[in-house]
Amino acid sequence: MPLGTWLKAGTSATALVLAMAGAATAATVPAGESSAAQAAAVTLHYDDSRASGWEAAIAAGVASWNASVSNVRLVEAAPGTVAEIVIVATTGWPQATLGPVRPGRQVRVELGSQAVDQGYNKTRIIAHELGHSLGLPDTKPGPCSQLMSGSSAGTACTNATPNATERSRVQSTYASASAAARAADGRTLIDAA
């Protein structure tokens, strides 16, 4: 067979393989989300091994953030590995290091029982403190619809879902590679009433 025929056959086969690979990749991407957006998501690991009694609230708070934003994913760290977000239970008031935390860096979240003793909702507390780790400051005073209003929304407030503005700020913070270079602020925000 002449060389030209071999090249045409090889080119056609390569094009077919690439087209099939693209179709297979497209089939694995959830509706409404591009493969580029999935690839760009920052994965942050959390360690809650020192937050006994808060497990259900932590799972719910993490699920709330993971359902609300796509540029960052919170995943439980495997035992014995280093996590970016260290969550501990304390007897004081809830507090957290102001982020945004980045892979390889570390922030601390303290889930204080003092707030629970005063009637505040555990899931709202953890979702709020994770918001600090993701770079959101307090918005006090504020309504219950603002997750970052924290304790100023009162003890009856159980909303643990970030509002559109809060989601947008986190999405923007974790949107680009240049943003990924910014480290955590390092300030500790104490969420006392």
Side-chain angles (χ1 to χ4, degrees), residues 157-193:
C157 179
T158 61
N159 173 40
T161 304
N163 67 20
T165 301
E166 294 162 335
R167 291 189 305 267
S168 177
R169 288 187 68 190
V170 170
Q171 285 289 102
S172 177
T173 298
Y174 287 92
S176 70
S178 62
R182 291 194 313 253
D185 177 292
R187 292 182 288 154
T188 298
L189 301 177
I190 301 172
D191 289 310

Side-chain angles (χ1 to χ4, degrees), residues 55-152:
E55 295 84 358
I58 292 168
V62 165
S64 176
W65 275 108
N66 284 341
S68 298
V69 295
S70 61
N71 285 349
V72 63
R73 291 263 122 334
L74 302 175
V75 178
E76 188 170 6
T81 63
V82 177
E84 287 84 11
I85 303 171
V86 176
I87 305 171
V88 298
T90 69
T91 57
W93 196 262
Q95 58 185 320
T97 310
L98 180 60
V101 66
R102 300 296 176 187
R105 307 287 181 138
Q106 194 170 72
V107 296
R108 181 178 170 97
V109 169
E110 295 185 10
L111 302 175
S113 61
Q114 188 175 9
V116 176
D117 294 345
Q118 291 182 21
Y120 291 96
N121 178 271
K122 280 184 165 184
T123 302
R124 180 171 168 85
I125 291 169
I126 182 61
H128 174 89
E129 299 306 329
L130 288 172
H132 287 318
S133 297
L134 298 174
L136 297 176
D138 285 319
T139 55
K140 294 179 181 179
C144 183
S145 60
Q146 291 178 344
L147 176 61
M148 300 313 293
S149 68
S151 61
S152 71

